[in-house]
Every structure is written in structure tokens, then in C-alpha cells.
Amino acid sequence: MQYKNGIDFVIISYTLPDLAKQCVKSIETFFKETPKTIHIVCNYLNKEKEISILQNMFSQEYVKIHEGIDQSKSAVVNKNSFQHKTVKVGKLDNNTTAMGSYYGAWATNIGIKAGNREYVCVLDQDSIFLENCEKELTELSEKYCFISNRW
């Protein structure tokens, strides 16, 4: 596959679209001249409603909204938030992990597979850029292939 110049930004959105909006705004502010595609993967409780909100929020051609993972089967919805009532147990170490973590990982795969750019930047929806760091990040990516603030 021939990759296009630039960065694919992958944002996983789940129930708080205004956070994704702020994340996109920070990308637009600090990566103005960068060829980019912003892939917002919508993990949802109500698919039609949540995807529609995101589609109406973003009219930019380089912002793509993707259907993510249905979180409704394991979610307990409270007045102002939700939690996942189900956990998965690791096959090798019996480690328990909340379903939200799995949903996020599966959605990240959807966003990465949708891209076709030279670099991929995976972000939590509540992340924002505070300065232009494209040169620094791409140089680190060339040197190390994978960089992260935590993993």
C-alpha cells in the first residue's frame, strides 16, 4: 500500500462529543499546514443519535466519522455518566479488564484501518494539543516507530 503524506489522527468518541470537538479544534489549530485526516470512531449507546451528532458537528472534508462499537450491552447508565458492568478475564494471566478498555481498543483498530497516511496519531477524546509538535513527533516516530505517553 502506498501511504499518503501527512497524519491520520484517530479519536475514539464515546458519549461526550464536545470533547471530540475540542480535540479536533486543537488539531486544526496546531496542525494547520499538515496534510491530515481525522478519523472519529463513535463508540455508542444509541448509534443513530450519537453518530448523527458527530456528523452534524463536523463539516470539514478531512474529518471522517466511523461507526464504532455498541457499548449498550455492558453499560450501566447513570444521570451524568455510565460505567461498564462487565469485565473480561485474560486467558493467560486471569487479569480482569473493564469492557470499556476493550471497546476502545477495537475502535482504535477501526480508525487505524480506515487511514492511509504515513503517520498515525491515536488520541483519547479528552486530549488536546497545546502547541505544534509535528516535527518533534514525526522525528521520534522515524527513530522509534512507536511512541506513547503511556502504554
Side-chain angles (χ1 to χ4, degrees):
M1 175 181 202
Q2 183 66 31
Y3 294 105
K4 292 169 57 175
N5 184 36
I7 303 173
D8 277 315
F9 292 92
V10 177
I11 303 167
I12 311 310
S13 178
Y14 45 96
T15 72
L16 296 170
D18 285 336
L19 292 178
K21 184 177 184 178
Q22 292 302 314
C23 186
V24 169
K25 183 178 178 183
S26 77
I27 294 167
E28 291 175 331
T29 301
F30 295 109
F31 293 83
K32 284 181 187 160
E33 304 303 318
T34 304
K36 63 187 154 295
T37 307
I38 302 172
H39 300 276
I40 301 176
V41 182
C42 180
N43 281 0
Y44 55 86
L45 298 175
N46 180 326
K47 180 169 79 173
E48 287 75 24
K49 177 183 174 189
E50 293 174 53
I51 289 177
S52 176
I53 288 170
L54 289 168
Q55 289 171 332
N56 290 327
M57 188 176 282
F58 299 105
S59 60
Q60 304 91 318
E61 187 176 309
Y62 55 84
V63 177
K64 309 294 183 195
I65 308 301
H66 305 279
E67 178 181 332
I69 308 301
D70 180 357
Q71 301 184 121
S72 64
K73 291 179 181 67
S74 69
V76 176
V77 180
N78 300 316
K79 184 176 180 180
N80 295 318
S81 66
F82 74 96
Q83 288 185 300
H84 294 285
K85 62 184 176 198
T86 309
V87 296
K88 284 186 79 129
V89 178
K91 293 179 181 177
L92 298 177
D93 61 2
N94 292 325
N95 182 41
T96 57
T97 304
M99 286 306 296
S101 295
Y102 280 94
Y103 297 148
W106 295 332
T108 298
N109 290 340
I110 291 168
I112 291 171
K113 288 177 183 177
N116 64 350
R117 297 210 180 258
E118 191 174 12
Y119 297 99
V120 177
C121 180
V122 177
L123 300 163
D124 289 331
Q125 70 175 353
D126 61 352
S127 301
I128 58 168
F129 288 97
L130 299 174
E131 62 184 23
N132 185 320
C133 52
E134 175 189 0
K135 185 175 190 275
E136 178 183 5
L137 292 177
T138 55
E139 286 175 359
L140 284 169
S141 292
E142 290 294 328
K143 185 174 180 180
Y144 297 109
C145 183
F146 175 84
I147 55 175
S148 175
N149 74 325
R150 65 179 180 268
W151 195 259

